[in-house]
Amino acid sequence: KGISTLIVAGVSLNVAILGLSIEAGNSNYTVIIPRDAVSGFPSEYAQHAIRNTLSFITTLSTIDDIIAAWPKA
């Protein structure tokens, strides 16, 4: 299907987003996470997960940057 990049957003940096990012990377997908479209509990943990784990296995971005880079139809 030609899909090579996943943009991952939502709740649960604690488990779901972390697990999805690891498995997507293992399957050779590029993973982009907009920092302003994810959350976890407690919020301090979420920030640590982004900084100390997800930053090494994904590309971190913002919603505005993704929209700006999206090809115009």
Side-chain angles (χ1 to χ4, degrees):
K1 297 189 182 207
I3 299 169
S4 60
T5 302
L6 303 175
I7 299 173
V8 179
V11 182
S12 190
L13 280 166
N14 304 55
V15 178
I17 293 171
L18 178 59
L20 184 150
S21 298
I22 291 168
E23 290 305 317
N26 288 340
S27 296
N28 294 317
Y29 287 98
T30 298
V31 178
I32 300 172
I33 297 178
R35 292 182 303 269
D36 51 347
V38 294
S39 83
F41 183 81
S43 61
E44 296 82 18
Y45 169 80
Q47 294 309 310
H48 288 292
I50 289 170
R51 184 173 37 256
N52 299 314
T53 304
L54 292 168
S55 66
F56 296 105
I57 61 173
T58 69
T59 299
L60 298 173
S61 188
T62 65
I63 293 170
D64 289 340
D65 288 342
I66 292 169
I67 291 170
W70 202 273
K72 308 298 183 242

